[in-house]
Amino acid sequence: MANRNTKNQPSSRIVIVGELTIYTVLELKDNLLAGLSTNDELELDLSKVNEFDGAGLQLLVMIKKEAAMLGKVLSFTGHSPVVMELLDLSGLAGFFGDPLLIVRKPTQEGKSI
């Protein structure tokens, strides 16, 4: 389920609540595309996502590419633990370009590289 905070504004925030899975992506896709079409900037808050699978990941990739094609600004915020885990496993954190997701492993001296 997606909750929209504003409509027909230069920017909007959508909170995705619950599942971001194969069972919900079709409905979410329509909501996210509508959000992109009516806003110059769109923020997707992922803090309330409690299930996330490959279909949900594909949806996020698709919406990111769609935003780029339309010249819109799209940002992902509030990544829940399940979102972080799948982004880490998939190796797609860099694709989304979110600096919060780029994890640097410490060296033996405890410094980041």
Side-chain angles (χ1 to χ4, degrees):
M1 171 182 281
N3 297 324
R4 244 194 246 187
N5 288 351
T6 58
K7 292 182 182 179
N8 298 319
Q9 300 280 332
S11 66
S12 182
R13 181 171 180 253
I14 297 176
V15 180
I16 299 177
V17 179
E19 294 182 27
L20 186 47
T21 67
I22 193 169
Y23 303 108
T24 61
V25 292
L26 188 57
E27 176 186 343
L28 289 171
K29 176 184 172 188
D30 293 339
N31 287 332
L32 297 180
L33 289 174
L36 275 181
S37 69
T38 58
N39 298 284
D40 295 330
E41 297 180 19
L42 184 62
E43 174 189 343
L44 297 182
D45 183 337
L46 305 173
S47 64
K48 307 256 187 247
V49 175
N50 60 19
E51 287 189 55
F52 188 46
D53 67 8
L57 184 58
Q58 287 177 324
L59 177 64
L60 295 185
V61 168
M62 182 279 303
I63 202 73
K64 172 94 171 156
K65 288 182 176 183
E66 186 71 18
M69 286 185 347
L70 296 172
K72 307 281 180 125
V73 175
L74 176 67
S75 61
F76 299 94
T77 61
H79 308 82
S80 72
V82 296
V83 171
M84 295 287 287
E85 181 180 2
L86 187 54
L87 289 175
D88 184 44
L89 287 172
S90 68
L92 288 175
F95 168 79
F96 291 102
D98 185 340
L100 294 174
L101 296 178
I102 299 171
V103 178
R104 289 179 176 39
K105 299 198 184 237
T107 62
Q108 290 180 345
E109 293 85 33
K111 297 179 184 176
S112 295
I113 55 172

